[in-house]
Amino acid sequence: MIDLALLRDDPALVKRSQEARGESPDTVDEALAADRERRTAITAFEELRAEQNAHGKRVAKAPKDEKAALVAEAKDLSERVKAAQQAVTAAEDAASAALARIENIVIEGVPAGGEDDFVTLRTHGEPAAFDFEPRDHLALGEMLGAIDTERGAKVSGARFAFLTGIGARLELAIMNLGMQRALEAGFIPMIPPTLVRAEVMRGTGFLGQHADEVYHLDDDDLYLVGTSEVPLAGYHMDEILDLEPGARRYAGWSTCYRREAGSYGKDTRGIIRLHQFNKLEMFVYTTPDDAEAEHLRLVEMQERMLQDLGLSYRVIDVAAGDLGSSAARKYDVEAWVPTQGAYRELTSTSNCTTYQARRLDIRYRPEGGRTAPVATLNGTLATTRWIVALLETHQREDGSVVIPEVLRPYLGGLEVAEPIA
């Protein structure tokens, strides 16, 4: 979970982190108490085991006339050892539950508060302006034969859509551009499983406050992932990595699934908030000392993608209460959506420090030292939602859409997507 040494040595720091997230600092006191009870139970068990071992030796050496009494004592001692072992199990379960309520320690400088308390770090480009009434992405998508939400709903229900024709091609173009950029940056391409075991979903932090967002297959006890972050984090579970050559970087392309619980009535039009979408996710294993620099590199890659797609955007430092349990800091890149007159999230990238690695037992060996947890980071490099900003930003009065130059090689040189008859 979190670093137990940090919890014991500096509980005030952990409390400040919890408070910044909007959580009760009492969770820290409860975790410390549970940790003490666990250690007390372990000590009691180990003392009884030592006594049992010593008693066993006495029984083996005792004269015949003394053995009956000693054997009776051994049976009583065995029952006490068994009870102590059960007490250890109960104390460990209680400690695990208490520790699980403490989220990752936020990095110094992360703004406190909730969803609306972010800090804008920078903006890029001027929001698109038109001398005509712009259409929203769904109206454009229907004119272009690119998006079909009616048949999506007919086949699968609300918040599903078909991407058709140029819509499907645009998504593939964006994803392929992202993968090419990832390859150039030294990422290993991956197509991961989209069904994972509970321990992987739990280890990445998605069965805590976000559990209601996750689809679960009861008969198989498997979870559909909402991001490739989950299987890519589990890829090196229970391993010791050699980070001497540098960070391990992966780019996972997968279909993702989210129940969107709690979003009733929000973004019901179009493809901003779907139950199913595609995403290219960057995932990095590195040393804790290099994690913050790696985080900035991921944001730089995301910004370069949006710049080359001709999108206006802002980068925000997400407030602690909106981070999610695993992230110690998260930057969102939000693109301007003209018909909404607002910035909407297109990418996010999180530094999870050692939180996920502790839960999944992923370590490295510092030079000349004992093994220690790695740091993990994740960030989106392309996803279905990008089509929203792209169509609206580059639309023309007749409903046609100019294709950004960087995408044209992936679309057979197509420069303009025209409305279909």
Side-chain angles (χ1 to χ4, degrees), residues 107-112 114-115 117-122 295 314-320 322-323 328-333:
I107 292 171
E108 185 177 354
V110 170
E115 183 178 357
D117 298 310
F118 62 85
V119 171
T120 300
L121 301 177
R122 56 188 170 275
H295 198 186
R314 69 181 180 187
V315 181
I316 66 171
D317 194 355
V318 176
D322 196 32
L323 286 178
R329 175 167 241 152
K330 181 169 77 167
Y331 299 117
D332 282 354
V333 185

Side-chain angles (χ1 to χ4, degrees), residues 271-286:
I271 61 170
I272 287 182
R273 197 184 296 268
L274 296 175
H275 289 309
Q276 176 187 321
F277 53 94
N278 288 311
K279 185 150 70 86
L280 181 65
E281 188 77 1
M282 301 178 286
F283 195 88
V284 180
Y285 298 88
T286 190

Side-chain angles (χ1 to χ4, degrees), residues 163 166-178 253 278 387 407 410-411:
L163 292 183
I166 188 60
R169 295 178 66 198
L170 270 175
E171 178 171 279
L172 289 171
I174 293 168
M175 297 285 282
N176 274 302
L177 173 63
W253 181 332
N278 288 311
I387 295 172
L407 293 182
Y410 302 96
L411 293 166

Side-chain angles (χ1 to χ4, degrees), residues 385-398:
R385 185 183 288 190
W386 290 22
I387 295 172
V388 173
L390 191 150
L391 293 181
E392 292 203 16
T393 298
H394 298 302
Q395 65 178 294
R396 302 194 299 194
E397 189 171 7
D398 63 355

